[in-house]
Amino acid sequence: MRRLSTTSSRRDLLVLALPAVLLVIAAFALAWQFVRPAPPKKIVISTGAVGGAYQFFGERYRDKLAQEGIEVELRPSTGAVENLMRLKTDDSVDAGFVQGGIANEPDSEDLATLGSMYLEPVWVFYRGKDDYERLTQLKGKKIAVGVQGSGAQLFALQLLSANGFATHDPALVAIGGMDAVDALKRGEVDAFFVVGAPQAPVVDALLHTEGIKLLDFVQAEGYVRHFPHLLTVTLPRGAIDIANDRPARDIHLLAATANLVVKADIHPAIVTLLLKHAREIHSTPGLLQAAGAFPAPQDHALPLHPSARRFYESGPPFLQRYLPFWLAVLIDRLIVMLLPLVAVVIPLSKVLPGIYNWRIRSRIYRWYGELKYLENELDQAPATAHDTDAIDAFIVRLDRIEQRALHRKLPLAFSTELYTLREHIELVRGRLQRLAETATGH
């Protein structure tokens, strides 16, 4: 039929589709408020002096994160003290290495720790034939205590002060790094305080230099009582060179933890990415630690980042375990956008067709109702059968019902119901025509 259509009327589309579309848009707009922003493509890590452990490990992080599409800028510094200051005052710095004992803000709101990455022993290297076991044996000697603002210098001055040294003593020289190594080798200084991991180039160079010895902190347990942020560790006999028996005896050392500190508002995905690679970088066994000992949430001077706590409790997020970082982050962000799909779009896709069918059928049923009402009137008024005017009025009403049904555009799927309605209309029309013939005597 010309009047039948394969689509619903424009009115039906507006009445049903427009509110549904507005509801879906509102649901997605609401969900978008909870979508995390994408992680940055670049972060800045404040490291330390050239040749130090912070620079060494910073380069490892830079190489690992580059594989994930994250650029890492390393900014050299004088050490832990300057790193902490940068994190506090420089908005461009995202992370930095800080020694245990430097910071003490367990309720900090601007900084958080990702945990302890490794141990930083206090190495006291010196020249000479004697075996030193106490710092007081260095009195009268020229000592390199690290550059100004470094954590090494802070520790050196704390330990020396506890042993009766004046912190302004001219024999305490503020040099560190490879400059201090060269000065010790040339005899320009007699001893050198180093705070760093065994892998640090400065430490490694002195451990394998002939004529340079390492002070044995036989009072290590006593120092820990005075400085609670320090730990005692032992460098076992032969750990440096088993063939040449170096060291020739167990050496007692003091150590602090090296902690990776970040801005509290750093992107959670960056936190898990840093810790994922921290496990690869720091979990291997070494001179002073067993396999898997680090990273670990050991230092509590700063609050542990919430994402770091989840990482230590259950490992990396599920998606980051099996997918590339960028894809895992993308899916994680889009998961939130699936909520409107589940909560709104899918239910609407099931409900709207039913409502639409009901609206269309309701029109057909309304015409059926009018037709049935007309028949009831005809049945309840027997006198009508002899009244030609009444019969004509019924026919006019029947024509109106038929015209509305024929002129209303309906989807093709409902043509069966419409054809059935027309058949019923024709049945009633036939009855009326027979009554009209009887009434007129034709």
Side-chain angles (χ1 to χ4, degrees), residues 141-283:
K141 300 184 180 298
K142 201 169 186 180
I143 305 171
V145 293
V147 296
Q148 187 70 32
S150 67
Q153 186 184 85
L154 179 61
F155 277 135
L157 294 179
Q158 284 179 336
L159 298 180
L160 289 171
S161 178
N163 283 274
F165 286 77
T167 56
H168 58 276
D169 190 330
L172 305 183
V173 184
I175 60 172
M178 297 307 296
D179 292 337
V181 171
D182 295 336
L184 183 60
K185 289 179 178 179
R186 292 193 298 264
E188 296 173 2
V189 295
D190 303 301
F192 175 28
F193 269 80
V194 184
V195 180
Q199 300 97 320
V202 169
V203 177
D204 185 69
L206 292 174
L207 286 176
H208 295 88
T209 299
E210 292 290 337
I212 302 298
K213 292 190 172 184
L214 185 59
L215 186 141
D216 183 4
F217 281 91
V218 294
Q219 298 173 303
E221 290 293 344
Y223 277 103
V224 172
R225 299 298 186 273
H226 291 277
F227 303 97
H229 59 276
L230 296 178
L231 306 169
T232 61
V233 293
T234 300
L235 181 64
R237 178 176 179 174
I240 299 173
D241 187 340
I242 193 72
N244 295 309
D245 194 26
R246 297 186 60 197
R249 67 183 191 281
D250 288 353
I251 300 293
H252 301 86
L253 298 173
L254 297 170
T257 55
N259 309 299
L260 188 56
V261 177
V262 297
K263 294 282 180 60
D265 59 356
I266 192 171
H267 197 286
I270 296 297
V271 170
T272 55
L273 186 62
L274 285 170
L275 285 172
K276 174 185 173 182
H277 291 300
R279 278 188 173 174
E280 302 172 13
I281 295 170
H282 301 293
S283 64

